Amino acid sequence: MPAHAITKRFTFYGALPPGSDKSHLAIVLNEKENFVKYCYCTSVFNLSLLRYSQCDCFVIKADDMADYFPGSSKETYVYFSEDKIITITLGVLQIKLRNGEYEERKPLDEIIFSDLVEAIKLSDNLSERFKGELLDFIQ
């Protein structure tokens, strides 16, 4: 069982997004009615993704990632769009954490999480429908 409740700011590490051959850090946006929505961090900046799709990006400084990636922290990008926000059932996430497929990490700093939510609110690239649904889920 995870040491922290799987709710806002919970983080875990593994082959993410589903089907990925690389491991990424995931940040849980919230858990409601046994569903968890999360986003994931990447060290790759993709300008064309921001220019040509309904996607936005939040940047986390390398210093803030040092606790998650000691000795190799980099500036991290979190992309928001309908296909970049992942939904998983709470039960499946718990099983994957229990069997070691995913590894729990320390919760994301409250200020960084607040800034991340604010970036979603202020986004001009996301559709109003998607942004509203996501913010309702986070609240």
Side-chain angles (χ1 to χ4, degrees):
M1 214 51 179
H4 297 91
I6 299 174
T7 187
K8 295 176 187 178
R9 300 178 38 236
F10 181 88
T11 64
F12 58 98
Y13 187 75
L16 301 163
S20 177
D21 59 351
K22 293 184 179 181
S23 291
H24 294 94
L25 180 72
I27 302 167
V28 171
L29 298 170
N30 205 2
E31 181 275 326
K32 280 188 178 175
E33 299 175 9
N34 291 315
F35 287 98
V36 175
K37 286 191 184 286
Y38 67 87
C39 52
Y40 59 92
C41 301
T42 179
S43 60
V44 177
F45 180 71
N46 186 340
L47 184 59
S48 63
L49 188 63
L50 301 176
R51 281 186 180 158
Y52 304 113
S53 66
Q54 287 190 324
C55 186
D56 219 330
C57 182
F58 176 74
V59 181
I60 303 175
K61 296 178 195 159
D63 292 347
D64 293 327
M65 297 308 292
D67 288 341
Y68 301 98
F69 304 106
S72 67
S73 62
K74 298 177 182 175
E75 191 167 63
T76 297
Y77 306 94
V78 179
Y79 293 97
F80 300 109
S81 68
E82 292 196 49
D83 64 334
K84 299 291 183 196
I85 301 295
I86 313 294
T87 302
I88 188 172
T89 64
L90 179 60
V92 168
L93 179 55
Q94 289 170 329
I95 289 168
K96 289 177 182 264
L97 288 163
R98 203 171 22 247
N99 72 16
E101 194 173 334
Y102 295 157
E103 174 189 333
E104 179 181 2
R105 298 286 173 96
K106 75 176 220 158
L108 188 67
D109 177 83
E110 286 183 58
I111 294 170
I112 296 171
F113 186 82
S114 293
D115 290 347
L116 186 144
V117 173
E118 193 65 20
I120 295 170
K121 287 179 184 174
L122 298 175
S123 173
D124 290 331
N125 283 355
L126 302 176
S127 75
E128 290 303 315
R129 179 200 53 79
F130 171 69
K131 189 165 45 170
E133 288 174 2
L134 184 58
L135 291 170
D136 284 345
F137 189 87
I138 293 171
Q139 302 309 328

